Amino acid sequence: MTVRRIARWSATHPWQAIVGWLAFVAIAFTAGNLAGTNQAQGPDFWIGEAGRAEATAAEGGVSRPPVENVLITPAAEPVAAEVAQRVRGLEGVADVAAPEVSPDGRSLLVVITMAGDDQQAGDHVEPVLEQTAAVAAAHPEVRLVQTGDASVERGLSAQLGQGVLITKAITLPVTLLILFLVFGSLLAAGIPLLLALTTILGSVGLYGLASAFFPDAGGAVTSILLMMGMAVGVDYSLFALKRVREERERSNGELSHVAAVEIAAATSGRAIVVSGAAVIVSLAGLYLASDVIFSSIATGTIIVVAVAVLSAVTVLPALLAKLGPRIEGKRRARPAKLWDRLLRPAVEHPVPTLLVGLLLIGALAIPGLNMKLGVEGINTFPRSVPEISAYDELVAAFPDRGASHMVVIRGETAERATEAVAGLSTPDSRAVSSVDGKIQRLELPIPYSAGTPEADDSLAQLRAQPVPPAVSIAVSGEPARGVDYSAHQAERLPWVVGFVLLATFLMMALAFRSLVIGALGLVLNLLSVLAAWGALVVVFQSTWAEDLLGFTSTGFIGSRTPLMLFAILFGLSMDYQIFVVSRIREAVARGLPTREAVVDGITGSARVVTSAALVMVSVFVGFMFIDRIEMKQIGLGLALAVLLDAVIVRILLLPAAMSLLGRFSWWPGRIPAPAPALRTPAGRV
């Protein structure tokens, strides 16, 4: 009843609700911008033995300094001298080393050491890039490129931002077109899109404020927030708007818009609140991953879902009541016979239908058993980023500047630490000692790329070496961070999965007062996720789709992707199940047998749920245009799972299972009584 009362107040006080919403969005966005985003620091990313090594190195003052590498080919000392002269006095530059000659004598390397930590280096790398670009422009006879952690991060961020703009340029018009085809009115089509955009604006501001407690890990977090904001923002508005029009059509226009809004709030509005809560609970499971990246994603997506729900139950009723007949468009006949024909096999022959549906899902899910996980790194990032292609040139000219193991040694005495370093050193290794000599950092270059089996084997051998007495040793570096991160994810996976499974079961069971519906929702959601995982393996662990989707296969799935998809998909899958099962429950409340209620509920919601699925799929597919394999994996996984939910689950599995279960579907609760909203007199205002 609370949702209904809020909607009624908004519908009868539309201007207050609209102005209040705009004020909320403006205040949230402005406050977030003024407060700024609290970025995660280096220690926030430290995990496992690699994290212990980084902490020990920081304690001894021997951490790897952030450096920028400027490669000049062919070797030209005057050009190297000009680079050094231009950047030496810049803010944020701590030191410029003398030029190094490559082993083949063809190239020069100027190493620029940045002041502070990685984040501070990122803040000051832009002027360095500008100066090296100026030198390159002044000397076209040489090839001058720059690479380093700060410049690579800047290049990746710029490319990701450009990709998101392209995605928006594709998604917005496609979404508007889908909504126009659904409603036959440009004004009605624009409302969900407008609310989704304001939802995103407000959420971005709130996310900035929330970063004071949950630091922002950067990267793809903002992109996922935008993706989820568009998906759920449009969907929630679409469900409510469609229900208002349906109630008006059912009464042949006799029902006032305020009364229609109130009925929609008591039915679709309640489903929106339950659905949003289910998504939020599922996403909260990501906090159990004990990972700053997952915490950032969980925070951003929880905020955007909560704001989308808020907009759907406050300002949307005001807009619908205020615009009145202008959003109605053309009247359409009641549900398509096509859906009735599609559903009849499931309700009349549930067992064969279940078997067919399970075989289809199983065929997609089985390849997931061969999933290999890995961590994105410099070797998997797109070569279209200049700073990353520059890294390839750097390693080709200076092999010892590629991947390396960072061994951090702490001894009870300086002599013990020095002895341990001597025992591990190689001809091309480099050591740095703390002031007291008790903590030392040893760099061991390896002739392998990080993430390869050879690099992982060399790390395992290094970590397996006996540790001398009175000495502690920890290994970090690119290979170690990848291995430790994957191991950490594998350790936390059961906790996240267990929480999400239990939480979604309880949400469905409580929402429909049925343990059977809760268990059924759990199983169907899990099947969709497993199928999405299997599809990722088929597409991204092999090479057949490289040209089609514009990527180079790494031979593995990003270690964050399965867990992220699991939490997000469980929440989003609940959307459709809650809306569809709510309509089935309404039909049962009107006295229909469960089998007939299944047909009535699914057919009655078919057009709007299909439209919502198309919107979500278009949003997720848009992210496959970003030249970043992790974003492509997330986009494909989400799009495919939503498609499976809307087709195989909704047309085959759900109706077949509920038809087979019959009245037992609602156990242990009783057959629901008609909702109060459904008894509202047609002429009530």
Side-chain angles (χ1 to χ4, degrees):
M1 290 296 292
T2 301
V3 174
R4 184 175 181 175
R5 285 199 296 266
I6 292 172
R8 180 169 176 79
W9 183 90
S10 297
T12 53
H13 302 80
W15 283 118
Q16 291 96 318
I18 293 169
V19 171
W21 172 255
L22 293 176
F24 163 74
V25 171
I27 291 170
F29 184 73
T30 303
N33 279 328
L34 290 176
T37 302
N38 176 35
Q39 298 292 334
Q41 306 296 315
D44 294 317
F45 296 92
W46 293 346
I47 287 175
E49 181 179 327
R52 294 195 299 274
E54 301 284 355
T56 304
E59 179 186 341
V62 294
S63 298
R64 279 180 177 173
V67 299
E68 290 296 312
N69 303 287
V70 180
L71 183 68
I72 302 166
T73 308
E77 292 188 2
V79 177
E82 185 176 346
V83 169
Q85 185 271 328
R86 278 178 173 265
V87 303
R88 186 169 279 118
L90 294 177
E91 182 182 1
V93 173
D95 184 51
V96 182
E100 300 178 38
V101 182
S102 63
D104 62 7
R106 298 181 57 227
S107 304
L108 285 179
L109 174 64
V110 178
V111 178
I112 303 167
T113 302
M114 306 296 291
D117 56 20
D118 291 339
Q119 184 177 1
Q120 292 169 318
D123 295 337
H124 296 110
V125 74
E126 186 67 33
V128 176
L129 286 164
E130 291 174 355
Q131 293 301 322
T132 56
V135 175
H139 298 278
E141 71 279 5
V142 303
R143 176 161 176 76
L144 187 152
V145 295
Q146 178 177 335
T147 187
D149 288 344
S151 57
V152 164
E153 184 62 33
R154 174 193 168 278
L156 286 171
S157 297
Q159 188 198 56
L160 185 59
Q162 184 180 10
V164 170
L165 288 177
I166 294 172
T167 298
K168 287 180 181 177
I170 296 170
T171 300
L172 291 177
V174 170
T175 300
L176 186 61
L177 176 61
I178 293 171
L179 294 172
F180 178 74
L181 293 175
V182 172
F183 295 115
S185 163
L186 193 59
L187 181 60
I191 289 176
L193 202 56
L194 178 63
L195 286 186
L197 293 175
T198 56
T199 291
I200 291 170
L201 283 177
S203 300
V204 167
L206 293 177
Y207 178 67
L209 297 176
S211 68
F213 307 97
F214 300 98
D216 173 45
V221 176
T222 304
S223 302
I224 293 174
L225 186 152
L226 295 174
M227 177 171 63
M228 288 292 290
M230 278 296 297
V232 298
V234 169
D235 270 14
Y236 292 163
S237 300
L238 176 60
F239 285 124
L241 177 53
K242 188 68 172 66
R243 188 59 184 256
V244 169
R245 292 181 61 168
E246 182 181 320
E247 294 299 331
R248 287 273 296 165
E249 290 176 10
R250 181 180 292 144
S251 68
N252 293 319
E254 294 180 10
L255 188 69
S256 72
H257 282 89
V258 172
V261 166
E262 191 176 353
I263 293 175
T267 51
S268 292
R270 177 183 178 277
I272 288 170
V273 172
V274 173
S275 174
V279 176
I280 288 171
V281 169
S282 295
L283 292 168
L286 291 176
Y287 289 116
L288 296 178
S290 299
D291 181 310
V292 67
I293 297 174
F294 281 119
S295 295
S296 296
I297 292 170
T299 302
T301 48
I302 285 173
I303 288 173
V304 79
V305 171
V307 175
V309 171
L310 183 64
S311 72
V313 300
T314 57
V315 68
L316 180 58
L319 289 171
L320 298 181
K322 188 66 181 174
L323 294 174
R326 284 173 287 179
I327 63 170
E328 292 192 351
K330 296 179 181 179
R331 296 284 175 91
R332 285 183 168 83
R334 289 280 296 165
K337 293 181 180 179
L338 171 64
W339 286 99
D340 186 78
R341 288 197 296 268
L342 288 174
L343 291 170
R344 282 299 165 187
V347 297
E348 293 176 0
H349 308 286
V351 174
T353 303
L354 274 175
L355 292 176
V356 170
L358 291 174
L359 285 173
L360 291 173
I361 293 286
L364 284 172
I366 286 174
L369 297 173
N370 296 319
M371 182 181 290
K372 299 176 183 177
L373 299 180
V375 178
E376 267 199 311
I378 191 71
N379 295 298
T380 65
F381 291 142
R383 269 40 214 170
S384 55
V385 177
E387 292 80 5
I388 294 175
S389 60
Y391 172 83
D392 293 339
E393 296 182 45
L394 171 68
V395 174
F398 292 86
D400 63 338
R401 299 289 171 168
S404 65
H405 299 310
M406 186 183 93
V407 185
V408 180
I409 300 156
R410 182 202 292 270
E412 290 184 0
T413 64
E415 291 75 17
R416 288 288 192 185
T418 301
E419 289 173 4
V421 168
L424 293 171
S425 295
T426 61
D428 55 354
S429 62
R430 303 179 295 274
V432 179
S433 175
S434 63
V435 174
D436 61 8
K438 293 182 179 180
I439 297 177
Q440 300 193 33
R441 185 187 91 237
L442 178 66
E443 296 285 350
L444 296 175
I446 57 175
Y448 318 113
S449 298
T452 60
E454 294 82 3
D456 293 348
D457 288 344
S458 70
L459 172 66
Q461 292 174 19
L462 178 61
R463 286 179 167 177
Q465 291 192 24
V467 179
V471 169
S472 63
I473 296 176
V475 183
S476 184
E478 298 90 338
R481 286 194 292 269
V483 167
D484 290 353
Y485 189 84
S486 295
H488 177 77
Q489 293 304 312
E491 178 187 340
R492 303 307 301 175
L493 181 63
W495 292 96
V496 177
V497 171
F499 174 85
V500 173
L501 291 177
L502 179 60
T504 52
F505 168 74
L506 292 176
M507 287 294 297
M508 288 289 284
L510 291 173
F512 297 101
R513 298 179 179 87
S514 167
L515 296 177
V516 175
I517 291 294
L520 182 60
L522 194 72
V523 171
L524 295 181
N525 290 351
L526 189 58
L527 290 174
S528 296
V529 172
L530 293 176
W533 284 356
L536 290 183
V537 171
V538 171
V539 174
F540 291 102
Q541 281 187 197
S542 54
T543 59
W544 67 270
E546 287 182 333
D547 294 336
L548 180 65
L549 300 180
F551 71 94
T552 299
S553 176
T554 59
F556 60 79
I557 305 300
S559 61
R560 289 190 293 265
T561 302
L563 196 54
M564 194 183 310
L565 287 179
F566 180 82
I568 293 176
L569 284 176
F570 249 77
L572 293 181
S573 295
M574 295 286 284
D575 264 353
Y576 299 125
Q577 289 196 35
I578 287 172
F579 280 105
V580 172
V581 176
S582 294
R583 296 299 293 261
I584 296 172
R585 193 172 184 271
E586 286 181 31
V588 171
R590 294 198 304 269
L592 290 180
T594 298
R595 285 197 177 194
E596 291 302 316
V598 167
V599 176
D600 183 89
I602 296 179
T603 302
S605 60
R607 186 178 181 84
V608 67
V609 172
T610 302
S611 304
L614 287 175
V615 169
M616 274 201 181
V617 169
S618 69
V619 171
F620 297 149
V621 167
F623 278 76
M624 294 173 63
F625 289 91
I626 298 176
D627 191 11
R628 185 79 172 266
I629 193 166
E630 185 177 42
M631 296 305 297
K632 291 180 184 292
Q633 290 175 355
I634 293 171
L636 177 66
L638 290 173
L640 180 62
V642 169
L643 199 59
L644 290 173
D645 264 346
V647 180
I648 295 180
V649 171
R650 183 158 54 98
I651 297 176
L652 299 179
L653 297 180
L654 178 64
M658 291 193 69
S659 297
L660 193 62
L661 292 167
R663 293 172 63 90
F664 188 69
S665 299
W666 311 104
W667 185 87
R670 292 175 296 178
I671 297 296
L678 300 180
R679 302 193 189 106
T680 303
R684 180 180 171 182
V685 178

